[in-house]
Amino acid sequence: MRAAGYNVYVVGLSGNRKEAQLKELVAAEVPALPPPPDWVYTYNFKDADRPRAIKLEPGQGGAFRKDMEQWLETLKRQIPEAFRQERFEQEKESLSKKYDTETRP
């Protein structure tokens, strides 16, 4: 259907080629239509019940997902490193102050 809001519902006995016929029917129509955009939904920090929709060029949703997975892996690695570095700097400063006061007359 070339109108918004319609779905296809297929019913029949199993094994009577309904899936194959539906694929053939859809394949006959698909070349005439432009590819639809990809839509991804991301967390909305302002309103958790309403995810943010992002419209992407056709076929870009998978690349977006892969980029987000790589970004999360990077964050999982870098955030603990940053906290370790921060703790190290705090301990270094604390020790420096301690020994400065002990070595002064």
Side-chain angles (χ1 to χ4, degrees), residues 54-88:
I54 301 172
K55 183 179 179 182
L56 301 174
E57 293 295 319
Q60 295 301 305
F64 180 82
R65 178 182 178 180
K66 183 179 176 186
D67 288 346
M68 291 298 101
E69 287 171 349
Q70 289 175 345
W71 181 65
L72 284 173
E73 288 304 315
T74 300
L75 288 177
K76 286 178 186 178
R77 205 176 45 255
Q78 289 183 349
I79 289 174
E81 288 175 9
F83 282 112
R84 280 194 297 272
Q85 182 66 28
E86 185 178 322
R87 270 189 251 127
F88 172 78

Side-chain angles (χ1 to χ4, degrees), residues 6 26 62 67 80 87 100:
Y6 288 92
V26 170
D67 288 346
R87 270 189 251 127
D100 280 348

